[in-house]
Amino acid sequence: MPAPRRPLVLLAVAVTVLAWASAFIGIRAVGEDLSPGALALGRLLVGAAVLGLLLVRRGWVAPTPGEWRLLLVCGVGWFGIYNVALNAAEQHLDAGTTAMLVNIGPLLIALLAGVLLGEGFPRWLMIGLAVAFVGVLLIGLATRESGADLAGVLLCLVAAVTYAGGVVAQKPLLRRLPGLQVTWTACAIGAVCCLPWAGALVTDLGTAPASSIAGMVYLGAVPTAIAFSTWAYALSRMDAGRLGVTTYLVPPLVVLMGWLLLDEVPPALAVVGGVVCLAGVGISRRRGRVRRPVPVPQETATTG
């Protein structure tokens, strides 16, 4: 990565991680007033509208048939199924536990990217993934609720699998197609998938308080339109596995935001888990030593 671009990529990663962490809090806050499918549709419609305004002045690059197939995988899986599953999961589990379970996704991304995208399995990335995953497990143990049920866990696993599959499908698209176009197209496909909940969205919006409607708009504009765009920018300049591991920062941020915004004091074990997550991300950023070629001594010329 060229040095001048590194700060912009790091900024894009930071915006993405913070926005996605806030989404877990936002979904929990509006979940009582908006059903999972209705919330997913409303969020994606807002996201598609914002992205469309940003895209209108840019040129359109026609996708190939193969790229359309990848866009369908990304749009149906990551934007459609993922959002409905995540919204439904947070009606069974608290935000911290949901974030912990969904964040098996980075491990799946690293494995799929190593096999399907040819990124391999760098040693420090694998070690960092393992350490960060331990941190996420600690947060999950600390924040789990006694009322957590199997349905919520299964919904989180569905979200994690579709998240990982969407990222791996998105990476090849960014080699030729603009990131904003990829994000808008996938978001629009996801919104079309959620149209069966259009009636529920109209009904829910008629009874939901203004704060919940504002929360839905926020989820569409920030964690969807902005964060998915900054993610695409970073993904086009980083390996999928290395970028995916940065999202292990999301669970500790969710715990911190829950403490500040929902007055939920995090258990001590959750704080420890957050520190372990940070350590894992730091380890994953290390690179193996580059072996320098050993100079071959030249034969000294002989005089005759």
Side-chain angles (χ1 to χ4, degrees):
M1 183 193 309
R5 290 183 180 178
R6 190 179 300 275
L8 291 177
V9 173
L10 293 177
L11 177 61
V13 172
V15 169
T16 302
V17 169
L18 287 169
W20 284 355
S22 73
F24 286 91
I25 303 300
I27 292 170
R28 186 177 182 188
V30 306
E32 294 184 0
D33 303 307
L34 297 170
S35 59
L39 176 57
L41 176 59
R43 173 180 177 176
L44 292 172
L45 288 174
V46 172
V50 173
L51 290 165
L53 291 174
L54 298 174
L55 186 63
V56 70
R57 294 186 178 181
R58 298 173 181 250
W60 176 266
V61 180
T64 64
E67 289 169 339
W68 272 116
R69 286 191 289 271
L70 291 174
L71 283 167
L72 285 172
V73 172
C74 188
V76 174
W78 195 8
F79 283 77
I81 298 174
Y82 170 86
N83 274 290
V84 176
L86 179 63
N87 296 343
E90 290 217 46
Q91 294 193 348
H92 297 269
L93 306 172
D94 61 276
T97 301
T98 303
M100 179 273 293
L101 290 171
V102 171
N103 268 272
I104 67 170
L107 179 60
L108 297 176
I109 290 171
L111 296 175
L112 291 174
V115 174
L116 301 177
L117 301 181
E119 294 183 3
F121 304 94
R123 182 181 62 175
W124 288 113
L125 174 60
M126 293 295 103
I127 294 174
L129 274 169
V131 172
F133 189 65
V134 170
V136 170
L137 290 177
L138 291 175
I139 293 173
L141 290 172
T143 59
R144 73 184 188 278
E145 291 182 343
S146 58
D149 56 38
L150 181 61
V153 174
L154 293 177
L155 286 165
C156 286
L157 294 179
V158 170
V161 171
T162 52
Y163 157 42
V167 171
V168 174
Q170 184 188 38
K171 176 65 175 178
L173 293 168
L174 298 172
R175 295 170 185 165
R176 194 181 74 89
L177 301 179
L180 185 61
Q181 177 183 323
V182 170
T183 305
W184 177 82
T185 306
C187 187
I189 291 172
V192 171
C193 292
C194 294
L195 283 178
W197 286 283
L201 176 61
V202 172
T203 300
D204 289 352
L205 290 178
T207 58
S211 59
S212 291
I213 297 175
M216 183 194 73
V217 173
Y218 170 82
L219 289 170
V222 180
T224 303
I226 294 176
F228 274 91
S229 297
T230 52
W231 169 271
Y233 175 84
L235 184 60
S236 66
R237 292 159 175 81
M238 292 178 63
D239 289 345
R242 291 192 179 277
L243 180 58
V245 75
T246 63
T247 61
Y248 273 124
L249 296 173
V250 170
L253 285 172
V254 171
V255 172
L256 178 61
M257 290 179 178
W259 180 23
L260 297 176
L261 301 177
L262 303 177
D263 198 26
E264 296 176 348
V265 180
L269 187 58
V271 176
V272 174
V275 173
V276 174
C277 284
L278 291 172
V281 173
I283 291 171
S284 73
R285 303 302 299 161
R286 294 189 61 177
R287 296 185 181 273
R289 293 181 179 179
V290 178
R291 294 185 177 181
R292 297 180 180 178
V294 178
V296 178
Q298 297 181 351
E299 295 180 2
T300 56
T302 58
T303 59

